[in-house]
Amino acid sequence: MKMNTFMYFLFLFPLLTQPTSSTLFSHLDHFTLPPYLRNPQPQEYLEVTYSPPLTPSCSHQILNHSFANTINSPPHSTPYSSPSHCFSSSSSRILLHFHATCKGEQYDRIAALWLGGVELFRTSTAEPTNAGIFWNVRKDVTKYYSLLLRSDLNLTMMLENIVDDEYTGVYHVSVTLLFYTDDAVRVPFGRSFSRSLKDESESGFYESPPPADLIVPISSDGKRGFWFMVETENDLHSRTVQIPQNTHRAVLELCVSFHGNDEFWYSNPPNSYITANGLDTGRGNGAYREVYVTIDGEVVGSEVPFPVIFTGGINPLFWEPVVAIGAFNLPSYDMDLTPFLGKILDGKEHSFGIGVVNGISYWLVNANLHLWLDHESSVVYGNRVIHQNPETSIERIEEFSGLDGEFEVEADKETQIAGWVASCAGNITTTISQGFTFKNLIKFHNNGTYKMVKQRFMAKKKVKVVNERGELVVKLKVKRKYPLRVITLTQQPCCNKTNSDRYILVTNVTHAFKEKCVGGLFSHLVSNVQDSNGWMEVEDHSVLSGEATTKQNYSYIDGFSCYSQNVAAADGRIVGDDSSFQCENSL
Ligand SMILES: *[C@@H]1O[C@H](CO)[C@@H](O)[C@H](O)[C@H]1NC(C)=O
Ligand SMILES: *[C@@H]1O[C@H](CO)[C@@H](O)[C@H](O)[C@H]1NC(C)=O
Ligand SMILES: *[C@@H]1O[C@H](CO)[C@@H](O)[C@H](O)[C@H]1NC(C)=O
Ligand SMILES: *[C@@H]1O[C@H](CO)[C@@H](O)[C@H](O)[C@H]1NC(C)=O
Ligand SMILES: *[C@@H]1O[C@H](CO)[C@@H](O)[C@H](O)[C@H]1NC(C)=O
Ligand SMILES: *[C@@H]1O[C@H](CO)[C@@H](O)[C@H](O)[C@H]1NC(C)=O
Ligand SMILES: *[C@@H]1O[C@H](CO)[C@@H](O)[C@H](O)[C@H]1NC(C)=O
C-alpha cells in the first residue's frame, strides 16, 4: 500500500532541479535550455497527431488554473459538473482539449488529470522561453462517457512545479470538453454492450463498442495525485475493489510514466557495470521493465511501455517545437480482463495491484477499470476455461571491461486466456491470445564515450468472442511495434582541467510507434516515426550551444479517414510541414 508521501518528494525534487553531476557516466540525461538559445518570438509547440477537422457542436470549460510553486502541495481539485446542455442523443464523440502556456525558465514537468480518481489524461510540459510558448492537445475521451455524465465528482490535476528566483515559468492550463455530432464517427451511446452484441451478431461484427457503464479507479487516495509511486521492483501498490455482479465485460486501462533513475530505463546498464567502475549513478538495474497488473496476487496482464522522451530528455534541442512521440499525450494500455471475470463476480472485495518488473525510483502508475453491465439481470456468471499465463522469459548477456562493454536483454511472453460469461446476451466466450518480443542492446565503446541503445519491441494480440452456438461475434487483432535507437558520443572540447565539466554531446535518436488494429469498424493503422540528429555543448545540466534537426513522418488511416503529415524542425523552428488526406497505404 501507499507509503508516506512526504519523504519521497524530498528525494525526488532535488533530483529534478539540481541534477547530480554524474552526467558523463549516465547514458542519457535530462537538461534545460538557457533563454539565449531559444526562439525570441512566442512560439507554438506541438505533438504531431491526427484529430478530425470537425466543428464541435458544444464546448464546455472544465478547468482553468495556473500552476506556480506547487511543489509539495496537494493537487488542484475542483468540483466537476456535467455539461448536460452538451449531451444530446446525437452526440457521437467527446474530445478533451488541453491548452497550456508558459513563459520564463522552467523544467519540463509531468502532469495528469483525473475525474473521481479515474485518469482522463497524462501529459508532460514543454520547457518555456522568455518570449513564451503555448501548445494545444486533443484527446478522444468518449470512452469516459458514463463518468463525464456525473456531477458528484471532483476534477483533479497534479502538476508539481517550482517557482523561485531562478525558475520563473508558471504553467497556465485550461481544459475544455468538445462535443461532436457526426454520423461518421458515431459511437453507440446509450446502448448497452449486450444489446449491441445481440444486434450486431446478426449483421456481422459490431462497430466500436459503446463506452463502459462504470469506470472504477485503481488509484491512490489522491492526496498527492491519484497515481501510485513505484520505487523498487518489490513495490506492489494495490486497491480493493468490489465490482457489480452483473458485469459482463471488463477492460483495464493502465496509465504509466517513468522518471528519476528510470526516466531512460532502456539505457540503464546492469548494476555490475556501475559497481565495477565505481560510477556515481543510480541509473542501473539493467534495461528491461514491464508493468504488471495483479488480481488477488495473480498476474493478469503486463505491458512493456512505449519509451516516451520528455522535452528535457537526451537533447532538448530536438524537441522544440516538435515534441517527442507521446510527450503531450502519453499512451495508456488496455488489457481485456473479461476472461478473469469469473474470479471477481462474487460480490466480494478483490485486490487489484500494479508493479514494475526491475523498476527503480520512480514510476507513476494507476489504472481505470472499465466495466460493462448487463442491464437486464442483476447477476451474471462466468468462469475461466483456458489459462496459459507463464512468467516472462528474460535472458541477459553482459560483457564488459572497464567502461567498455555490451549488454543484451531479450524477453518474450506468450499467453492465452479464455473465459465465458453467461448474461442476458447469451453465453459468450472471450479468448485472448497475446505475446510480445523485446530485445535491448547497449554498447559502450571508446572508454565509454560512445554509447548506443538499440531496442525492439513487438506485441500481438488477438481477441475472439464467440456465442454459445460457437458463432464468431467479435474478432480483433492488434499489432504494435516500437523500435528505438539512441547514439551518443561524448567529446571533450579541450583538456582544460578547470573546465572539466564542460563537454560536447553528439546525439542521434530514431524512434517510432506503429500500431495496426483490425476488427470491424474499429480498424486503424498508425505509423509515427521520428528521426533526430544534433549536438550540444553542455556544462552541468545546462546546454550552452548546439544544433538539432528532427524529422517526423506520421500517418493515420481508419475506415473514415486517411491522413499523413511530414514535419521537419531545425534549431527550434519548423522548416517543413506537408500534410495530406491522400494515402499510399490502406488498411
Ligand atoms: C482563466 O483564468 C485566468 C486567470 O485566472 C483568466 O484571466 C482567464 O480569462 C480565464 N480564462 C477563461 C477562458 O476563463
Ligand atoms: C471534492 O473536493 C472537496 C474539497 O477537497 C472535498 O471536500 C469533497 O469531499 C470532494 N468530493 C468528492 C466526491 O470527492
Ligand atoms: C457457457 O459455455 C461454456 C463453454 O461452452 C460452458 O462450459 C458453460 O457451462 C456455459 N455456462 C452456462 C451458464 O451455460
Ligand atoms: C577512461 O575513462 C576514465 C574515466 O574518465 C579515465 O579515468 C581513464 O583514464 C580513461 N582511460 C583511457 C584509456 O582513456
Ligand atoms: C580553461 O578554463 C578557464 C576557466 O574556465 C578559461 O578561462 C579558459 O579560457 C579555458 N581555456 C580553454 C583553452 O578553453
Ligand atoms: C548521426 O546521424 C548522422 C546522420 O545520419 C550521421 O552522419 C552521424 O554519423 C551519426 N552520429 C553518430 C554519433 O552516430
Ligand atoms: C519520411 O518519408 C520520406 C519519404 O518517403 C523519407 O525519405 C524519410 O526518410 C522519412 N523520414 C522518416 C523520419 O522516417
Side-chain angles (χ1 to χ4, degrees):
M1 287 305 295
K2 187 97 178 136
M3 290 174 301
N4 182 313
T5 49
F6 182 62
M7 286 299 295
Y8 60 63
F9 279 104
L10 283 179
F11 169 60
L12 147 73
F13 273 93
L15 256 183
L16 275 182
T17 51
Q18 293 138 30
T20 53
S21 56
S22 57
T23 314
L24 270 179
F25 299 113
S26 39
H27 186 176
L28 299 179
D29 223 324
H30 210 108
F31 302 93
T32 43
L33 288 170
Y36 60 82
L37 260 188
R38 321 293 304 281
N39 202 332
Q41 264 82 48
Q43 199 176 9
E44 177 167 12
Y45 277 52
L46 70 145
E47 179 179 342
V48 176
T49 185
Y50 175 65
S51 191
L54 304 169
T55 310
S57 58
C58 187
S59 72
H60 179 73
Q61 190 182 70
I62 57 173
L63 186 137
N64 182 23
H65 189 73
S66 297
F67 294 85
N69 195 38
T70 48
I71 182 167
N72 291 327
S73 307
H76 170 69
S77 204
T78 175
Y80 168 83
S81 85
S82 178
S84 49
H85 61 285
C86 285
F87 285 95
S88 80
S89 57
S90 56
S91 299
S92 57
R93 186 192 278 236
I94 308 167
L95 297 194
L96 181 149
H97 183 107
F98 178 93
H99 175 76
T101 65
C102 192
K103 200 172 170 176
E105 187 153 359
Q106 196 50 268
Y107 270 87
D108 53 335
R109 305 291 183 192
I110 186 71
L113 188 69
W114 296 269
L115 183 55
V118 169
E119 185 166 323
L120 299 180
F121 181 56
R122 189 174 299 197
T123 188
S124 63
T125 66
E127 293 182 353
T129 62
N130 279 343
I133 63 165
F134 66 98
W135 66 97
N136 292 292
V137 192
R138 284 187 177 188
K139 178 180 174 182
D140 194 321
V141 290
T142 313
K143 63 182 168 190
Y144 308 108
Y145 172 80
S146 63
L147 204 68
L148 296 171
L149 267 180
R150 291 172 60 171
S151 287
D152 57 340
L153 303 170
N154 283 339
L155 184 73
T156 303
M157 183 162 170
M158 187 74 169
L159 191 166
E160 277 196 286
N161 194 24
I162 294 177
V163 173
D164 56 20
D165 293 345
E166 195 178 348
Y167 299 102
T168 53
V170 173
Y171 288 104
H172 303 281
V173 170
S174 79
V175 179
T176 304
L177 293 178
L178 304 175
F179 292 76
Y180 295 83
T181 53
D182 186 294
D183 285 338
V185 291
R186 178 163 299 259
V187 171
F189 279 171
R191 282 161 72 194
S192 72
F193 187 71
S194 49
R195 170 62 57 200
S196 78
L197 273 184
K198 268 197 221 161
D199 292 354
E200 304 295 336
S201 53
E202 268 107 62
S203 61
F205 300 135
Y206 67 92
E207 302 180 11
S208 57
D213 298 297
L214 182 67
I215 310 174
V216 181
I218 311 293
S219 58
S220 79
D221 59 14
K223 290 192 180 113
R224 311 291 318 210
F226 284 92
W227 39 40
F228 294 116
M229 181 181 255
V230 173
E231 294 185 276
T232 72
E233 48 198 329
N234 300 319
D235 267 0
L236 179 73
H237 290 272
S238 53
R239 162 118 185 199
T240 51
V241 168
Q242 192 178 359
I243 71 160
Q245 285 186 271
N246 58 343
T247 302
H248 65 90
R249 181 168 189 251
V251 173
L252 184 122
E253 181 191 9
L254 182 66
C255 308
V256 310
S257 54
F258 27 84
H259 309 275
N261 286 335
D262 254 355
E263 179 176 344
F264 307 102
W265 57 268
Y266 40 84
S267 74
N268 286 12
N271 297 337
S272 53
Y273 172 83
I274 294 170
T275 312
N277 286 294
L279 301 182
D280 171 28
T281 177
R283 297 183 171 179
N285 230 22
Y288 183 68
R289 302 292 182 271
E290 186 183 338
V291 187
Y292 62 95
V293 174
T294 61
I295 301 179
D296 299 333
E298 179 193 10
V299 175
V300 295
S302 66
E303 282 288 348
V304 173
F306 174 75
V308 176
I309 303 167
F310 302 126
T311 56
I314 305 178
N315 178 343
L317 298 166
F318 287 165
W319 319 122
E320 53 165 20
V322 175
V323 303
I325 300 170
F328 280 163
N329 184 2
L330 275 81
S332 62
Y333 306 88
D334 282 352
M335 298 176 184
D336 194 329
L337 298 184
T338 309
F340 293 98
L341 274 177
K343 216 175 142 84
I344 51 175
L345 279 174
D346 55 5
K348 299 199 173 116
E349 289 202 320
H350 293 273
S351 170
F352 281 73
I354 310 176
V356 182
V357 173
N358 294 170
I360 54 175
S361 193
Y362 62 93
W363 289 64
L364 296 173
V365 298
N366 53 258
N368 305 327
L369 183 60
H370 297 250
L371 302 174
W372 285 259
L373 309 179
D374 183 348
H375 297 289
E376 292 159 53
S377 58
S378 56
V379 182
V380 305
Y381 299 93
N383 207 353
R384 222 182 306 176
V385 285
I386 314 174
H387 192 170
Q388 180 201 325
N389 192 10
E391 279 192 17
T392 307
S393 113
I394 307 174
E395 268 180 62
R396 297 168 200 271
I397 301 173
E398 57 177 76
E399 248 179 85
F400 64 89
S401 147
L403 287 170
D404 287 348
E406 291 198 11
F407 311 97
E408 210 176 297
V409 187
E410 276 191 47
D412 62 84
K413 185 165 174 157
E414 290 279 339
T415 63
Q416 195 187 52
I417 296 158
W420 56 264
V421 176
S423 70
C424 276
N427 185 355
I428 304 291
T429 299
T430 304
T431 305
I432 299 164
S433 315
Q434 59 187 331
F436 69 78
T437 56
F438 170 94
K439 187 171 174 176
N440 176 292
L441 174 67
I442 297 177
K443 284 186 185 177
F444 293 153
H445 290 171
N446 301 343
N447 199 26
T449 57
Y450 173 91
K451 299 171 182 143
M452 189 205 73
V453 180
K454 204 166 152 188
Q455 180 165 294
R456 271 185 307 176
F457 173 80
M458 205 264 284
K460 277 185 189 171
K461 176 157 77 179
K462 259 198 265 180
V463 179
K464 206 174 97 183
V465 180
V466 297
N467 64 18
E468 60 277 353
R469 295 184 296 278
E471 293 157 352
L472 194 62
V473 192
V474 176
K475 194 170 149 189
L476 180 69
K477 268 193 199 176
V478 186
K479 203 167 156 180
R480 259 187 291 138
K481 277 186 190 174
Y482 13 99
L484 168 77
R485 199 190 63 175
V486 184
I487 294 172
T488 63
L489 189 60
T490 312
Q491 296 168 338
Q492 294 302 333
C494 70
C495 0
N496 194 336
K497 279 252 155 61
T498 58
N499 238 348
S500 61
D501 275 353
R502 192 179 281 197
Y503 59 96
I504 289 172
L505 206 55
V506 181
T507 315
N508 284 357
V509 177
T510 306
H511 71 157
F513 179 90
K514 294 183 178 191
E515 182 176 74
K516 185 175 184 174
C517 179
V518 180
L521 292 178
F522 236 165
S523 305
H524 66 249
L525 193 70
V526 179
S527 169
N528 199 355
V529 185
Q530 264 181 338
D531 201 346
S532 306
N533 298 309
W535 62 271
M536 55 182 178
E537 189 185 356
V538 180
E539 185 167 356
D540 216 357
H541 278 71
S542 291
V543 179
L544 305 176
S545 58
E547 285 177 321
T549 59
T550 290
K551 290 180 185 155
Q552 181 163 6
N553 289 359
Y554 174 90
S555 74
Y556 175 87
I557 305 170
D558 67 14
F560 309 105
S561 22
C562 177
Y563 179 77
S564 69
Q565 188 175 2
N566 289 3
V567 178
D571 302 327
R573 286 171 182 80
I574 302 274
V575 294
D577 186 355
D578 297 309
S579 59
S580 152
F581 286 90
Q582 310 279 304
C583 274
E584 284 167 29
N585 300 320
S586 62
L587 273 171

